[in-house]
Amino acid sequence: MLSSPSGGGKTTIAHALLEARGDVAYSVSATTRPPRPDERDGVDYHFLSADQFQKQIDRGDFLEWAEYGGYRYGTLASVVEAIRASGKHAVLDIEVVGARNVRERLANVVSIFIVPPSAGALFERLTLRQTEASDELGLRIQHAVEEVEAAVEYDYLVVNDDREQAVAEVNSIIEAECLRTTRLDRLAPAMKELRQGLMDKAESLQK
Ligand code: 5GP
């Protein structure tokens, strides 16, 4: 899971990760927010009406959902399940409330908070992209304060000062997390074989 205040760069980092690694896939969320000019339905989000979103909630389709800036956003359980079933890591671009809920509901989740280098830099990125009206912009900045406070709940913090460096750091986190003993189920047969081989060797040396 990647979180950051709006304009913090998590979406750019997520896209760079997808380009760099064949073993990750983006979990496309559903939202009631209208698409921005460069966004495509089914690629960036599944853009739903308020009614459609409510129906999906009622059906229990969401792993989690939350409200942000007056719109609803949710992770579809089926999307994450399909990615996991394909043997890939699901990348979730998600705000802090959703991240809390996912931590409670899923095992083997790694959370990374992308920290903008400064308030000035964040504000500059948000205003430069010109996707938010000024009242929406204010809401997003207010939200950013709460989000920065929640950063301590995350497993890792990555400062997005230099984009390439930030992507490399997220990559390293994925690499290291894959090597955790708790995730090494796939290596269990090899470890068993190694142990048996060593026991046989020890026995033959004792003879
Ligand atoms: P934006 O409108 O800028 O695309 O996203 C606004 C916020 O919603 C961002 O913090 C983004 O990470 C978050 N978000 C996107 N998809 C989801 C989701 O499925 N669930 C939750 N809880 N937040 C999401």
Side-chain angles (χ1 to χ4, degrees), residues 2-7 10-11 26-31 33 36 39 45 62 64-68 71 73-76 92-99 129 132 140 147:
L2 297 177
S3 298
S4 79
S6 189
K10 63 187 171 309
T11 310
Y26 189 65
S27 160
V28 180
S29 299
T31 184
R33 168 171 77 60
R36 294 178 185 140
E39 287 179 329
Y45 282 106
F62 289 113
E64 63 73 37
W65 67 272
E67 267 183 32
Y68 185 100
Y71 298 109
Y73 295 82
T75 307
L76 292 157
L92 276 63
D93 170 341
I94 190 175
E95 51 69 67
V96 298
V97 177
R129 77 180 190 194
E132 278 79 32
R140 281 181 180 245
E147 287 172 318

Side-chain angles (χ1 to χ4, degrees), residues 37-75:
D38 59 337
E39 287 179 329
R40 282 178 298 156
D41 189 34
V43 176
D44 299 286
Y45 282 106
H46 298 288
F47 294 100
L48 303 182
S49 68
D51 275 358
Q52 285 170 323
F53 198 99
Q54 185 59 48
K55 277 201 186 105
Q56 302 247 66
I57 296 176
D58 296 341
R59 282 210 304 252
D61 289 348
F62 289 113
L63 176 63
E64 63 73 37
W65 67 272
E67 267 183 32
Y68 185 100
Y71 298 109
R72 286 175 166 184
Y73 295 82
T75 307

Side-chain angles (χ1 to χ4, degrees), residues 72-118:
R72 286 175 166 184
Y73 295 82
T75 307
L76 292 157
S78 58
V79 170
V80 174
E81 276 158 24
I83 295 172
R84 289 190 149 191
S86 74
K88 293 188 177 183
H89 309 292
V91 175
L92 276 63
D93 170 341
I94 190 175
E95 51 69 67
V96 298
V97 177
R100 271 180 211 136
N101 291 331
V102 173
R103 271 189 216 102
E104 275 174 22
R105 297 189 62 178
L106 284 188
N108 270 350
V109 175
V110 179
S111 59
I112 306 174
F113 193 88
I114 310 291
V115 187
S118 68

Side-chain angles (χ1 to χ4, degrees), residues 1-2 108-112 155-156 173 177 180 183:
M1 297 193 291
L2 297 177
N108 270 350
V109 175
V110 179
S111 59
I112 306 174
D155 300 316
Y156 297 94
I173 293 168
E177 284 289 335
R180 269 188 189 273
R183 278 183 227 279

